[in-house]
Amino acid sequence: MSPKHVIYKKLSRDKSVGVYMGKRDFVDHCDFVDPVDGVVLIDPEQVKGKKVYVMLSCTFRYGRDDMDVLGMAFRRDIFLSSRQVYPPLQDKERSVHTKVQEKILRKLGDNAYPFFFEFPDNLPCSVCLHPGPTDVGKVNNVKAFCAENQDEKAQKRSSVRLAIRKIQYAPDKGGAAPSAETTCEFIMSDKPLHMRVSLEKEMYYHGEEMNISVDIGNSSNRNMKDLSVSVEQVTNVVLYSNDKYIKTVAYEETMDTVPSGTSLKKVYTLCPLLDHNRERLGLALDGKLKHEDTNLASSSIVKDEVLKEILGMLVAYRVVVKCNAAGIVGSSEVAVEVPFKLMHPKPDPGELITLPNLILQLFSFSTEHEF
């Protein structure tokens, strides 16, 4: 039995236009980005002599849903590009770029037309904040609509919008294993406290356990207690405001103590997962598609030539180890932060399907039809 492939389909309300795409995740390989391609099916009788356009957009949205209704939410189109697909401006054969497009076109017939876009190199990956008091996100869409011209406002019943994602996989080579340390001196203590925290590597994958090495040498006259180890997600909104969201996504509060004149060497294990944080609001998540689950947002990788502001939101992760130094004159908090990256691994090339039997997955319905 030959392998199968899912084709995503969505129709406009009046069935005048429909979008067919072989995938909805497009990968940023750092040196290039997967192109966006698909097929638009039109109903000539419904179009009634109008033109049909396809638009690729990347939008940054900041604000609550009720503010959006009032027209007060902040929205900025980071990127817009449109193509006329009907009447075609060139031969259909010259507009076909992939074998999946060819097969869809053969199945849909003469009223199907291909489209093709290239993602600019500087566009951000799809990220959103877990719905809460505010709603922030970067959304990529493919939209097909019929109108007299591309500047005309499209009627909702004659347009269709399909959400897509721009994603990024972990680079082949990670950096050196990160570590950080601090030395604290206290009042009325001749000797200091030294704490060092290190990780096994810089790059971790979603769902992977992290071993966190903590080395504390307490030469001071204070007793160390309330030792805690956590993973924090730090999200900076850089396009519209300077908002910063710091959310703990994994946490362990230990009973370990380090009395004066002793030391501690121990490895703690944490695993940052969305499953453990679904009730928490304000978390940055990878862009979510309908009927699919998502995960914590991947770390942002900023290319040298790209302005941070155009990325909208920057996501970073860090391990934080804290403890309290209890003394006669009160207690002091000692903390060490170690940054790391959290991303998806690159898929095995051997798992990729080249030219499958196509299964048509209707997005508006639960039924599936084999191509």
Side-chain angles (χ1 to χ4, degrees):
M1 185 175 179
S2 58
K4 298 177 180 179
H5 192 89
V6 171
I7 296 298
Y8 300 94
K9 168 191 176 181
K10 195 170 184 181
L11 297 175
S12 63
R13 196 175 305 169
D14 63 2
K15 307 294 174 51
S16 60
V17 292
V19 174
Y20 294 73
M21 298 186 70
K23 61 180 180 179
R24 299 175 70 189
D25 286 341
F26 299 88
V27 181
D28 185 345
H29 302 271
C30 290
D31 52 346
F32 73 97
V33 183
D34 289 345
V36 179
D37 62 86
V39 172
V40 173
L41 179 66
I42 70 166
D43 182 344
E45 294 184 2
Q46 290 283 349
V47 171
K48 297 178 181 178
K50 293 184 179 179
K51 298 177 181 179
V52 176
Y53 300 91
V54 178
M55 177 183 294
L56 174 65
S57 65
C58 176
T59 303
F60 178 86
R61 181 181 179 279
Y62 187 94
R64 300 191 304 270
D65 290 335
D66 55 350
M67 292 176 62
D68 195 25
V69 173
L70 297 173
M72 298 171 60
F74 176 82
R75 301 173 66 95
R76 177 176 295 178
D77 290 323
I78 300 175
F79 174 76
L80 283 175
S81 179
S82 60
R83 303 275 191 278
Q84 178 181 320
V85 295
Y86 178 82
L89 299 179
Q90 61 180 3
D91 293 339
K92 187 181 295 187
E93 291 75 14
R94 296 179 57 190
S95 302
V96 176
H97 291 79
T98 66
K99 293 182 178 180
V100 174
Q101 275 184 315
E102 289 179 359
K103 195 158 190 178
I104 296 174
L105 289 169
R106 285 199 301 268
K107 294 295 181 180
L108 296 182
D110 294 336
N111 293 325
Y113 299 88
F115 64 85
F116 181 87
F117 292 94
E118 290 185 350
F119 261 121
D121 192 47
N122 60 350
L123 282 189
C125 292
S126 303
V127 178
C128 66
L129 283 190
H130 198 36
T134 59
D135 182 20
V136 186
K138 294 171 288 187
V139 183
N140 295 287
N141 284 297
V142 171
K143 177 182 178 182
F145 61 96
C146 54
E148 296 292 344
N149 57 73
Q150 65 181 22
D151 297 324
E152 180 183 340
K153 186 176 180 179
Q155 296 180 351
K156 287 187 177 181
R157 61 185 179 86
S158 300
S159 63
V160 57
R161 189 187 303 270
L162 190 61
I164 62 174
R165 290 188 296 198
K166 179 173 178 284
I167 61 176
Q168 205 166 31
Y169 294 128
D172 294 328
K173 295 182 180 179
S179 64
E181 55 189 304
T182 186
T183 300
C184 297
E185 297 182 350
F186 306 105
I187 298 174
M188 302 177 64
S189 177
D190 295 332
K191 296 182 179 180
L193 165 88
H194 184 78
M195 181 163 65
R196 185 176 188 273
V197 180
S198 60
L199 304 178
E200 295 176 318
K201 54 185 180 179
E202 181 197 36
M203 184 68 65
Y204 288 87
Y205 300 143
H206 292 285
E208 182 180 3
E209 291 186 341
M210 303 176 59
N211 292 322
I212 302 162
S213 299
V214 178
D215 186 354
I216 301 176
N218 186 9
S219 301
S220 71
N221 61 2
R222 297 199 175 192
N223 297 321
M224 309 304 297
K225 61 180 183 177
D226 301 331
L227 180 66
S228 65
V229 184
S230 63
V231 175
E232 292 182 346
Q233 180 193 75
V234 183
T235 305
N236 285 285
V237 182
V238 295
L239 179 62
Y240 176 64
S241 68
N242 291 319
D243 288 352
K244 178 182 285 190
Y245 299 83
I246 301 177
K247 301 293 179 179
T248 300
V249 293
Y251 181 79
E252 181 180 350
E253 185 173 358
T254 76
M255 302 296 292
D256 296 329
T257 61
V258 190
S260 174
T262 65
S263 62
L264 171 72
K265 288 186 178 181
K266 192 170 181 179
V267 176
Y268 301 91
T269 301
L270 294 179
C271 184
L273 283 174
L274 177 60
D275 287 343
H276 302 156
N277 298 276
R278 289 192 181 276
E279 302 303 319
R280 304 205 62 193
L281 303 179
L283 286 177
L285 310 177
D286 277 343
K288 187 176 185 300
L289 298 178
K290 189 177 180 182
H291 304 317
E292 293 185 15
D293 201 0
T294 186
N295 48 260
L296 296 172
S298 299
S299 299
S300 300
I301 295 182
V302 183
K303 302 173 185 177
D304 294 336
E305 67 277 7
V306 176
L307 294 174
K308 290 183 178 181
E309 288 73 16
I310 201 171
L311 298 180
M313 288 190 295
L314 300 176
V315 179
Y317 291 89
R318 65 192 184 193
V319 167
V320 181
V321 179
K322 296 180 181 179
C323 60
N324 284 323
I328 299 176
V329 293
S331 63
S332 302
E333 184 180 79
V334 180
V336 173
E337 299 177 358
V338 182
F340 68 96
K341 291 182 173 63
L342 183 66
M343 301 188 74
H344 288 287
K346 285 186 177 180
D348 184 356
E351 297 178 356
L352 299 180
I353 300 173
T354 54
L355 185 59
N357 289 335
L358 302 182
I359 289 183
L360 176 61
Q361 178 176 309
L362 300 180
F363 228 66
S364 302
F365 308 96
S366 59
T367 54
E368 292 187 348
H369 299 280
E370 186 167 329
F371 258 20

